[in-house]
Amino acid sequence: KAGVTQTPRYLIKTRGQQVTLSCSPISGHRSVSWYQQTPGQGLQFLFEYFSETQRNKGNFPGRFSGRQFSNSRSEMNVSTLELGDSALYLCASSPRMGEYQETQYFGPGTRLLVL
Amino acid sequence: AQSVTQLGSHVSVSEGALVLLRCNYSSSVPPYLFWYVQYPNQGLQLLLKYTTGATLVKGINGFEAEFKKSETSFHLTKPSAHMSDAAEYFCAVSKDTGRRALTFGSGTRLQVQP
């Protein structure tokens, strides 16, 4: 099976712009989670989607949003970009939602640089 | 709320030496614990996980970890380090009430000296 894919891999934006990142989960996986990784804050949970519905959300401002499509692919959007949004954004998929012991499979990430 | 503490942001060992990466957790409920590895410019790869049952968990690439409830620890070990083990390692906990999101430690960068 192909792994989790994320596009684009690298992105440069300027402050105030918005950005959309894409994630395709492993075939058959229905849950997609997003994480932000920065040197200062480490890995932080953004949100989780299952069956096209946001199920959990981390402590991020409303500028961060996402959605999931019927084929389980997910996008996340960041509006009004700030310098602090520069990070590696990781997507992870798992077969179901609510199963705490399930492994989350991570993609390679999208590295976003905000200038 | 759950949290994870990884002692030592950088660990350096010689090739062939024992690898010991420390992880302590706090959780209001019995946790599920994970170790992930991240190689440069890559995502996270699961090494091993503890859910229930045997407290000594064996993972990929010769790594293992032992869940010690009395010490709230889940340290990662490997008997003999290899150059290819050089990477960043993250301990994570799951199963806080109502949320399945992983809570990660700050990571430990492992350096392997020839």
Side-chain angles (χ1 to χ4, degrees):
Chain A
K1 275 188 181 178
V4 178
T5 58
Q6 293 186 244
T7 56
R9 291 292 311 276
Y10 303 92
L11 206 49
I12 299 176
K13 292 286 187 180
T14 57
R15 278 181 300 174
Q17 287 187 310
Q18 76 165 16
V19 67
T20 299
L21 312 181
S22 181
C23 170
S24 293
I26 292 171
S27 178
H29 285 194
R30 298 177 63 194
S31 171
V32 173
S33 297
W34 289 88
Y35 292 83
Q36 182 197 62
Q37 184 178 23
T38 61
Q41 300 298 318
L43 280 153
Q44 294 183 287
F45 171 74
L46 279 157
F47 27 65
E48 178 182 18
Y49 285 87
F50 181 82
S51 292
E52 303 176 61
T53 302
Q54 187 180 94
R55 304 292 179 160
N56 288 302
K57 190 177 193 305
N59 297 322
F60 279 82
R63 301 185 296 107
F64 291 82
S65 63
R67 59 177 175 169
Q68 186 181 35
F69 302 94
S70 58
N71 61 359
S72 295
R73 189 178 70 85
S74 177
E75 290 180 346
M76 68 162 282
N77 183 78
V78 187
S79 62
T80 319
L81 283 166
E82 300 177 359
L83 296 179
D85 297 333
S86 295
L88 180 67
Y89 290 89
L90 293 163
C91 168
S93 76
S94 57
R96 292 172 291 274
M97 193 215 79
E99 301 291 334
Y100 293 99
Q101 70 273 29
E102 272 195 351
T103 298
Q104 294 187 41
Y105 296 86
F106 284 80
T110 294
R111 188 166 295 281
L112 171 65
L113 177 62
V114 182
L115 302 176
Chain B
Q2 56 196 17
S3 67
V4 176
T5 302
Q6 291 184 241
L7 296 175
S9 59
H10 289 82
V11 170
S12 182
V13 300
S14 298
E15 192 173 19
L18 171 71
V19 175
L20 171 60
L21 305 182
R22 300 177 186 275
C23 172
N24 289 88
Y25 70 90
S26 72
S27 177
S28 57
V29 298
Y32 293 145
L33 295 158
F34 305 79
W35 274 101
Y36 281 88
V37 61
Q38 186 176 35
Y39 298 99
N41 299 315
Q42 293 186 29
L44 303 174
Q45 180 184 7
L46 180 72
L47 281 174
L48 49 80
K49 65 180 180 182
Y50 169 78
T51 55
T52 57
T55 57
L56 182 62
V57 181
K58 295 188 185 298
I60 62 171
N61 301 339
F63 284 94
E64 62 182 38
E66 187 171 9
F67 171 62
K68 292 186 176 180
K69 184 178 178 181
S70 61
E71 299 177 7
T72 60
S73 69
F74 191 57
H75 302 330
L76 181 71
T77 61
K78 182 175 180 177
S80 177
H82 191 272
M83 296 295 290
S84 61
D85 294 327
E88 188 151 24
Y89 292 79
F90 294 91
C91 182
V93 63
S94 176
K95 201 186 177 184
D96 199 5
T97 304
R99 290 168 60 97
R100 192 173 65 109
L102 292 169
T103 298
F104 286 91
S106 55
T108 297
R109 186 167 297 279
L110 176 66
Q111 189 176 23
V112 182
Q113 306 283 0

